[in-house]
Amino acid sequence: MKNTTVYDCTMIEMDKHHSDRKGNITVVENGKTIPFEVKRTYYLYDVPGGGSRGAHAHKELRQLIIAAGGSFDVTLDDGNVKRTVVLNRPYQGLLVVPGIWRDLNNFSAGAVCLVLASERYDENDYIRNYQEYLKYKQSEI
Ligand code: TYD
């Protein structure tokens, strides 16, 4: 998916259930909350405060990125426009479409980055070099 832009990436506000008990629950259900079926879930943690991750794009993978704890910034880049989103609420998810370069920065100490993904892990789906990424985007017809 080469011709996507940062404007195709949206924030999804999920339900926050609060009962008489203390605390909240947020639920993500296939076919209901997000526009893809979740095939894989992973989470990043123990990132040093102020640290960075990401710095790659995916050709086909769709993801919902959630700050399950703490906060971090996600900078989306389509080779043309950059957009930075602060994630700091466990009930908000950033939907990242394929073909977008992303940098995750400014992790707070103890932050947990939960990622719901549309495909199983495939290293061939990654573009890890920014110059290659720009070429990939420019090669669109
Ligand atoms: P990577 O996606 O580069 O992490 P980040 O975007 O946070 O910098 O993955 C880091 C390493 O973990 C990489 O060597 C491959 C491995 N990995 C898996 O084996 N399976 C997975 O589902 C993911 C996301 C990563």
Side-chain angles (χ1 to χ4, degrees), residues 53-99:
R53 296 294 299 252
H56 61 251
H58 287 281
K59 295 176 197 162
E60 298 298 335
L61 189 72
R62 290 182 285 169
Q63 293 166 303
L64 187 75
I65 303 180
I66 300 164
S71 67
F72 50 87
D73 302 340
V74 184
T75 298
L76 304 169
D77 179 349
D78 57 23
N80 206 16
V81 174
K82 280 189 190 186
R83 191 179 147 208
T84 297
V85 176
V86 179
L87 290 183
N88 58 5
R89 298 277 183 265
Y91 53 85
Q92 289 174 340
L94 176 63
L95 181 72
V96 182
V97 297

Side-chain angles (χ1 to χ4, degrees), residues 40 42 44 53-54 56 121 123 126 128:
R40 177 170 54 114
Y42 61 91
L44 302 171
R53 296 294 299 252
H56 61 251
Y121 177 70
E123 186 58 37
Y126 280 76
R128 293 188 181 274

